[in-house]
Amino acid sequence: MGQDDFSPSTQSMAKNFMFKGFDPEEYAKSISAQSDGDKDLIERRENIRLLSDETSRKLKRQVYLNYRQFIEAAREISALESEMIRINHILQTQKSTMDNLTKLFSEETFKEVEAQQQKSSEDGKSAYRALNTIISKVEGCSHVLAPGRYLVHDGEVTELDQNDFSEIGKLRLFLLNDSLIVTKASEERQRSRKEAKLKFQNLYSLEGLPIVNVKERDMGTKKNCVKVMSFPEPRLFQCPTPKEKRQWLEIVEETKISSKTKTSSAGNPSVPLADDGDDGNPFSGSSDASDEDSHVRLSPKQDSNAGNNLPSWIQEAPEEIDVLLAQRDFVQAQKILLKCEKTLATEHPKSSNDTKHQLSEKRKMIVEVLCAELSPAADRSLRAGPRGQRVPAQLLIQLGEERKAARLFLESRTAAQKYSRKNLVMEGDLVRHNQKFCRIFFDHIYETAKEFNNDFENKADSFSSLVVWVQDELRDFVEQFANQVFLGNTELLEQAECVCAALSGSSKLSEMGLDVEFLLAHLMRRHIVEAIINHRKLISDGTKWKHSNEEWRPLNLQTPTALEKLKEEMSGLNLTTFNQYCKDPCFVRLTPTMISFARACVTHTQAAMKLYSQELYHPIVDSITELLRTVTHSISKSMAEVRDQEKAKLVRRSAKFLASDLIPAVNKIIKEKTGKDPRSIQELLRNFLQSFPS
């Protein structure tokens, strides 16, 4: 961006600013010295603003031009890549031709050749008749009918745009023995007239026409796609199902091989038919439909003549494995490795150590790559479920690394769990947040155990690592759970709700054979006991303070409505006889301290019973007993100290409420949950009644 690009009013100023030794402070001082007044300074400020706007527009223009150049360069690179694919296919075709020439020295008899030619002729006649019926359904396709040409396969596909993968239209492909016909539905057929003919579009010769597989990760949401490298522009087709895609890739390559074989046999009758395993498609190794038979194999006779020489596909296997690993096609790379190792062990036990050493190094490389795929990485998203690690884990198991696979699989699941915990935002109250937290955790354990059972079904030794992992995860869960629930001034009832949510979530794992409810209760026991004791101390301290300042006056609720609400509340706390202590219109013949204690004691008992388990029976009952002993001791002390007759009546009425209503209600709640009467509470009540028999 030069100084001539600016307007005349800002050009001189831009020249000053673009000077290498420009000093803004000196420039400002010179302007101030040369200025005649405010008008001159305002004019210069306006020129600076115009220069800033022009500079901004020109920078945006340069960014736009650079972006366009980047797009053009990307297009050129894409075109170059397509050309390299064509060149690679041509080289593979020449290699296949050279392999066919080497088979001139095989000992296949003329009778076998004639039998194969006769069978091919019969198949061609039936396919030729099928071609006649297809031509009658396609407009403008009469020139396709030629001697020796017949139909091999056909099917419907969807053509996609190569830039944004949008659908262009529905097509029907007809594969002939030497060419590929592309047809589309006519306007009449698109209007649901099935008897209308198809319309001929293109005819491609199979010679030099690669049809390659397109991997799903390159297509976003589109699946089952193949690319036809036609000239001048390649075309992208989507098959309806993975099975049809696999059929197209296999049948096209078989048709190419058959066509080349017939051409060679026509020139020299001694040329044998190509072996089914000689696959000339350089892309079949990375396709989803590839299998272990997609590599060139020597026939048994050639193998016996070769002696100790290894087949070419074994010698080329290390390089092919490197290519597949670079393409992240781990499944195919492992298939090739295992096939090579099996072939060397059974058919070539005395082969050279160099080849075995190379395959051993490739095995180590595959193991390292798979371990890296399973290991939790900071640059890879951890939102995927356990199925995302299924393929690497299964491949490691097939390589005999089941222990390493189990360890890395579980470590990755731990990292995923920590990631989900980190992203869990506190929403709503504590109970709702904790329920969501428990649901996420136990669903994570359930999905992991389910996937582990599928992957390591026949590896019983690995299940011990799953059990240990679950124990470690539970310890981390309880630690974080305790920090959220048992710290602060959380009510015991809310803590009980949170613990119940955790225990109910653990019961889901029993379906997988992981009975962790006892372990979870054991890990929480210390926190639960501390929470019960702290809550009991809080109520006891508050009750003692209130009794020390008690004036022994009946409770006045001011309004009948407030009295009715209190009656409903006490009825909900199982204090059904509370109405006998009420006096219209708004009085309760009990002290506010006794009402407050009754409310807190019953609530404490109900919350403790939600936390109940057999090993927590004694801590819970002892806590409730100590709470009741606090108030009985205070009332006994008040009875000895109070001298006023009216106040003494109120004390005795409070003692009656405690012995006849509150303690039996607490005892009933405990018995309904545990099935037995607590001895300590029965003894406390007995002693209290002896002190106040009336």
Side-chain angles (χ1 to χ4, degrees), residues 235-465:
R235 304 181 69 173
L236 185 63
F237 298 134
Q238 182 184 22
C239 301
T241 62
K243 181 179 179 181
E244 293 189 22
K245 170 188 173 180
R246 190 163 54 250
Q247 287 180 349
W248 274 108
L249 292 172
E250 293 175 353
I251 294 175
V252 167
E253 295 306 319
E254 291 175 0
T255 304
K256 287 182 180 181
I257 294 173
S258 177
S259 177
K260 295 174 186 177
T261 303
K262 289 184 178 181
T263 303
S264 302
S265 300
N268 190 341
S270 62
V271 178
L273 292 174
D275 186 78
D276 293 337
D278 187 6
D279 192 349
N281 184 9
F283 309 98
S284 60
S286 61
S287 67
D288 297 337
S290 61
D291 52 29
E292 295 182 1
D293 296 330
S294 62
H295 303 281
V296 179
R297 297 193 303 269
L298 294 175
S299 64
K301 295 181 179 180
Q302 289 173 314
D303 188 45
S304 61
N305 293 333
N308 293 328
N309 294 331
L310 295 175
S312 59
W313 65 271
I314 294 182
Q315 298 176 4
E316 297 173 358
E319 297 181 358
E320 188 170 359
I321 291 175
D322 290 337
V323 173
L324 293 173
L325 290 179
Q327 297 175 350
R328 298 178 58 81
D329 194 351
F330 309 128
V331 177
Q332 185 63 21
Q334 180 165 309
K335 283 184 178 181
I336 296 175
L337 174 67
L338 296 179
K339 183 182 177 183
C340 291
E341 292 178 346
K342 181 179 179 181
T343 304
L344 289 177
T346 56
E347 300 180 10
H348 305 279
K350 298 182 180 180
S351 59
S352 62
N353 293 328
D354 293 339
T355 304
K356 292 182 179 179
H357 177 72
Q358 291 180 359
L359 293 177
S360 177
E361 293 297 325
K362 298 307 172 187
R363 170 182 275 268
K364 294 179 181 178
M365 184 182 299
I366 293 176
V367 171
E368 291 178 358
V369 172
L370 294 176
C371 290
E373 286 294 311
L374 273 178
S375 299
D379 58 345
R380 189 165 63 244
S381 175
L382 295 172
R383 296 183 179 179
R387 295 184 180 180
Q389 289 86 22
R390 172 181 291 181
V391 174
Q394 290 180 345
L395 295 179
L396 281 175
I397 293 172
Q398 295 174 7
L399 291 173
E401 300 287 346
E402 57 269 7
R403 290 191 177 183
K404 186 177 293 186
R407 177 176 60 82
L408 293 174
F409 175 80
L410 296 176
E411 287 180 358
S412 65
R413 298 306 302 146
T414 299
Q417 172 68 6
K418 291 181 180 178
Y419 180 84
S420 61
R421 291 181 190 175
K422 184 178 179 181
N423 293 336
L424 183 61
V425 181
M426 182 69 178
E427 296 178 355
D429 56 10
L430 176 63
V431 176
R432 292 184 179 180
H433 172 75
N434 183 76
Q435 289 175 349
K436 183 178 180 181
F437 171 64
C438 295
R439 183 174 63 255
I440 292 175
F441 173 78
F442 288 107
D443 286 348
H444 164 80
I445 299 293
Y446 180 84
E447 293 295 332
T448 301
K450 182 179 178 181
E451 192 63 30
F452 193 92
N453 289 336
N454 294 333
D455 294 342
F456 298 87
E457 183 177 3
N458 299 324
K459 306 293 181 180
D461 297 339
S462 301
F463 282 89
S464 59
S465 60

Side-chain angles (χ1 to χ4, degrees), residues 266 457 500 594 683:
E457 183 177 3
C500 291
M594 182 56 65
E683 184 179 356

